[in-house]
Amino acid sequence: MKKSLWLILPLLLSTMAHGQEDSNISTDSIADPTIFGVVKKELDLKDKGSSKLIKVFLDSKYENATKINQGHIDQSQFKVVQSRVFIQGQYKDKLSYAMRYRLNEPDGSKALEFAFVDYYINQKWSLSMGKLFTAWGSMELSYNSADLYMLSNIISNAELFAPGISVTYTQDKQKFKLQFISPGQQYTQANYSNKAYAGLFLWEGVLFKDHLKTRYGYGLFQHDSNKFYSWVTLGNRLTIDNFMMELDWIYGVSNLRDSQISTMANLPASDIYNLRDNVTELSFKYKTGKFVPYVKLMYNYRKDLHNDLSYSYSGISGVLEYYPFSNELMKDFRLFAGYNFYQYHYNESVLTNKGQHLAMIGLRWMVPLF
């Protein structure tokens, strides 16, 4: 995997250089698909003096999924992947807010995903407070999970939203964010969880005449009074006309349950492990008419630092999206069909390596209610 990265990076750099030379290439052909893009696009406050106090969306995704393990169908069913109410608004050029509530979440304490207010001090400085997007770098961790078809271990376990405060400085399309949050239990010692903090720094860059966007982040999460967990999250997005490529690297430590480690160690599934993740992801997307083919490659190496056990979780995903409508109300409505293959490779274990197949078909729509 490391060797393949050294092959990919020169290609990325040479393509960036080509994009820099051609000033006629448009980068608007593929819209920002992340939840940050959805929110920020509405909250740029370009119309000074105007206000839109409330906008409401139904954030929805429905699919039929069939999971196959070792030639046997383990699961095949229709399901509601996401059904969430998303509310946002703004007042003139000074104040904006956003909130999202998960309707199909059985645990009421987790239903409110985020709820925050942004105060724009001036054109360069803004202050945010509430339950915020955690200021991770990388592209995957910035996506609305309903827009992803294959997830790494990280996005399944990371704390994507947390209560806290952040300060953002904007200069020439570059955004620099400093954030302080109260981290969740996957980072803190049990008897220290009510007084632990985390600090994160995020650079959202726009380079090479808008062809390259970066999300580079670093975070320190307080485990106890003497111990911190550090996270490096680096994301790159290259767009040239209708083509988009994303390259992510994520590295950090957390305390989590993990069924694969439990099986390898012959320990109870309820045990908590000190896990270090090292994740690399590469994806490609191309827009052609109403169709968007999408391919994603993932490699996730996870190590239990206490029991000295490790395994790799890799995958490849191929999806075809279809956008049948072009009017403003329906333009984000899409149908999709996809196939994922996952591979588990166990180290230091007598377990047999295994593969898993997933076929899916469904629809996705951010429904504008009012």
Side-chain angles (χ1 to χ4, degrees), residues 40-79:
K40 295 297 183 185
K41 205 177 298 177
E42 299 293 338
L43 302 183
D44 274 343
L45 306 173
K46 293 178 180 177
D47 300 324
K48 303 302 180 185
S50 67
S51 63
K52 179 68 175 178
L53 288 179
I54 187 168
K55 291 184 180 182
V56 182
F57 301 85
L58 177 63
D59 185 359
S60 59
K61 183 180 183 180
Y62 315 104
E63 71 178 20
N64 175 268
T66 300
K67 187 183 296 184
I68 303 171
N69 279 309
Q70 299 177 335
H72 301 286
I73 296 177
D74 282 354
Q75 186 181 51
S76 186
Q77 63 185 124
F78 292 96
K79 58 182 180 179

Side-chain angles (χ1 to χ4, degrees), residues 47-210:
D47 300 324
K48 303 302 180 185
S50 67
S51 63
K52 179 68 175 178
L53 288 179
I54 187 168
K55 291 184 180 182
V56 182
F57 301 85
L58 177 63
D59 185 359
S60 59
K61 183 180 183 180
Y62 315 104
E63 71 178 20
N64 175 268
T66 300
K67 187 183 296 184
I68 303 171
N69 279 309
Q70 299 177 335
H72 301 286
I73 296 177
D74 282 354
Q75 186 181 51
S76 186
Q77 63 185 124
F78 292 96
K79 58 182 180 179
V80 178
V81 181
Q82 292 295 354
S83 184
R84 302 179 285 202
V85 174
F86 174 42
I87 302 173
Q88 64 181 51
Q90 65 187 60
Y91 179 70
K92 296 186 177 180
D93 61 348
K94 281 296 183 184
L95 201 66
S96 66
Y97 68 90
M99 183 185 79
R100 193 169 70 193
Y101 190 87
R102 189 188 294 262
L103 298 175
N104 60 333
E105 173 57 62
D107 185 348
S109 64
K110 298 179 181 178
L112 181 65
E113 293 186 317
F114 59 80
F116 61 88
V117 174
D118 290 326
Y119 175 65
Y120 298 87
I121 301 169
N122 52 41
Q123 292 293 319
K124 294 185 176 181
W125 291 94
S126 64
L127 180 69
S128 304
M129 193 168 187
K131 190 173 185 181
L132 307 167
F133 298 109
T134 307
W136 298 110
S138 90
M139 292 300 166
E140 185 189 54
L141 294 179
S142 70
Y143 270 83
N144 184 331
S145 59
D147 290 317
L148 295 172
Y149 303 100
M150 181 174 69
L151 308 178
S152 70
N153 277 333
I154 300 298
I155 200 169
S156 304
N157 302 138
E159 190 170 27
L160 300 178
F161 315 103
I165 187 169
S166 62
V167 178
T168 303
Y169 175 76
T170 304
Q171 177 67 44
D172 298 329
K173 296 185 178 180
Q174 314 302 312
K175 291 185 178 180
F176 304 92
K177 178 175 292 186
L178 183 62
Q179 183 181 84
F180 296 95
I181 62 171
S182 295
Q185 60 184 6
Q186 62 265 53
Y187 308 106
T188 61
Q189 193 176 49
N191 61 2
Y192 205 80
S193 60
N194 63 346
K195 51 185 176 182
Y197 289 95
L200 298 100
F201 175 78
L202 174 66
W203 167 48
E204 297 176 275
V206 180
L207 305 168
F208 300 102
K209 299 182 180 179
D210 293 356

Side-chain angles (χ1 to χ4, degrees), residues 246-296:
E246 294 181 338
L247 177 63
D248 276 357
W249 181 60
I250 304 170
Y251 185 88
V253 178
S254 54
N255 297 317
L256 296 167
R257 293 185 177 89
D258 187 287
S259 60
Q260 307 300 323
I261 296 293
S262 293
T263 303
M264 293 170 70
N266 195 25
L267 293 172
S270 59
D271 280 11
I272 303 293
Y273 305 100
N274 189 219
L275 303 176
R276 183 175 64 208
D277 282 292
N278 190 340
V279 181
T280 303
E281 295 178 297
L282 178 66
S283 64
F284 304 92
K285 182 178 285 190
Y286 185 78
K287 187 179 187 328
T288 171
K290 295 183 178 182
F291 291 92
V292 178
Y294 173 70
V295 176
K296 180 176 180 178

Side-chain angles (χ1 to χ4, degrees), residues 209-322:
K209 299 182 180 179
D210 293 356
H211 292 297
L212 178 66
K213 293 187 177 180
T214 64
R215 290 184 57 83
Y216 289 1
Y218 179 76
L220 277 176
F221 292 78
Q222 198 170 13
H223 179 67
D224 56 32
S225 59
N226 299 310
K227 186 177 180 180
F228 291 81
Y229 292 153
S230 65
W231 281 82
V232 179
T233 49
L234 307 179
N236 305 272
R237 177 186 296 147
L238 175 71
T239 54
I240 299 177
D241 259 352
N242 293 333
F243 172 78
M244 183 174 79
M245 181 175 75
E246 294 181 338
L247 177 63
D248 276 357
W249 181 60
I250 304 170
Y251 185 88
V253 178
S254 54
N255 297 317
L256 296 167
R257 293 185 177 89
D258 187 287
S259 60
Q260 307 300 323
I261 296 293
S262 293
T263 303
M264 293 170 70
N266 195 25
L267 293 172
S270 59
D271 280 11
I272 303 293
Y273 305 100
N274 189 219
L275 303 176
R276 183 175 64 208
D277 282 292
N278 190 340
V279 181
T280 303
E281 295 178 297
L282 178 66
S283 64
F284 304 92
K285 182 178 285 190
Y286 185 78
K287 187 179 187 328
T288 171
K290 295 183 178 182
F291 291 92
V292 178
Y294 173 70
V295 176
K296 180 176 180 178
L297 306 172
M298 173 193 70
Y299 181 81
N300 190 156
Y301 177 77
R302 173 167 281 186
K303 184 177 181 65
D304 172 15
L305 300 178
H306 286 168
N307 295 308
D308 198 28
L309 296 172
S310 64
Y311 69 94
S312 63
Y313 172 56
S314 57
I316 182 170
S317 175
V319 178
L320 181 63
E321 300 176 338
Y322 174 57

